[in-house]
Structure formats: structure tokens, C-alpha cells
Amino acid sequence: DNKNSAVVGYFKNKESDEYKQFLKNLDDATFEEFSAAEVFDEKLLEGEVVPSLKLFRSFAKPVVFSEMKNQDVEVVKSWIFSNGYPLVEEISQASWKRFTTSGMRIAFVFVDNTDEKVTKETLELADKVAQESKGEIKWGHFDGVKYAKQMEMMRLPKDQKVPAFSVINIQKKQIWPYTGENNVED
């Protein structure tokens, strides 16, 4: 779950169509993993785009969704989920469903969690690549030392050292182990 993010709706009043849509989205569980609130106070609205949604995230600066007219709940939900999580997030039992239901290929970044410096550098590199492939590849990381068998399942050599990368297309059951240099260009 994502308890470190919040969606705040900025509206002129409770009678606006945009506010009613915001409530409908809440009812449709769009924000089930996020805290949600709404703001009507004119002092708090100063400097904000009205109407809009602002997504506050613990891992990056807030982002604003201002195309509020007649928005389909799926459009809003897609925006929230594509912006509400880090581009490279830890693969866990809680996050796995987002990976598998995204419809995107999944890039696995295998790190050694005991080597903080190399892990940080590797995840920064992965984040740069993930920015280039946003919307096409969902990036996730986990401990390749602790879960070495997973690296083998992702067709990496048995003696593969971390950091390592591999990509899977779950729908087509295709796997591409990465054997190049660990840099943005490759």
C-alpha cells in the first residue's frame, strides 16, 4: 500500500461538477491506497489550480491533475497510479498486483540490500532509465542475494553477480536477461 501519498482535491464549492466527480471517484475506490481530502477554503486555494487534484508523495514533488472536466474515473485512476508510486519501487507482496495488472513489461533490478552504496547507485541508474520508459515498462527492485533463485528464473546466469537486470512480459511469457554494461546508454 501507499500510505506516504495523499490526493487533495481543490474545488470552488461542493456543488461543482468536478467535486461531484471527485466524490464518485472516491466511491469507486480510486483512492483505496491513498489518503484523500478536499479543500474549499479560499485562503488555501490561493496559488492552486482550481479545480484540480494534487498528489502529494513522500518520494517526489507533488504533481497536479487539472483536466477535471467530465473526467472518466479510469482516466483519474490511471493518472493517480502512474504518478502515485516511485518509478522504481520495491517488489513486495503488497506491490506485486500493481506490477502484474499494469499491462506493462516488468523490469527487475536485482541488488544486494546489504551494500547500501551500490544499491543506491543502481537504483538511481534504474530511475533514470525508468523515466525514459515510463508507461512502457514497470520497474521494480529486490534483493538478488536473498532471492538468488529468482535471478535464475529470470534467465540470468547461475553465477550472476548483483546488480543485475532482467525484463519479463508476463502476458506473452517472454523474458529478456540483460547482460550489457550497467549504464544509461546501454
Side-chain angles (χ1 to χ4, degrees), residues 8-60:
V8 176
Y10 295 88
F11 307 98
K12 289 187 186 214
N13 58 57
K14 290 184 178 186
E15 289 74 42
S16 71
D17 291 339
E18 294 84 6
Y19 178 66
K20 291 174 185 172
Q21 183 65 43
F22 177 74
L23 292 179
K24 182 180 184 301
N25 290 345
L26 286 174
D27 289 343
D28 288 345
T30 300
F31 305 118
E32 63 192 17
E33 296 184 27
F34 296 85
S35 300
E38 63 273 341
V39 175
F40 301 103
D41 186 318
E42 287 197 29
K43 289 180 184 174
L44 293 174
L45 292 175
E46 284 181 25
E48 298 295 342
V49 176
V50 179
S52 69
L53 298 180
K54 186 180 260 188
L55 180 56
F56 292 89
R57 311 166 299 177
S58 62
F59 58 89

Side-chain angles (χ1 to χ4, degrees), residues 153-172:
M153 290 172 56
M154 293 300 295
R155 296 197 183 139
L156 290 161
K158 190 173 185 133
D159 60 349
Q160 176 72 46
K161 303 286 184 221
V162 292
F165 301 86
S166 191
V167 177
I168 185 171
N169 181 324
I170 290 181
Q171 290 76 19
K172 294 183 179 181

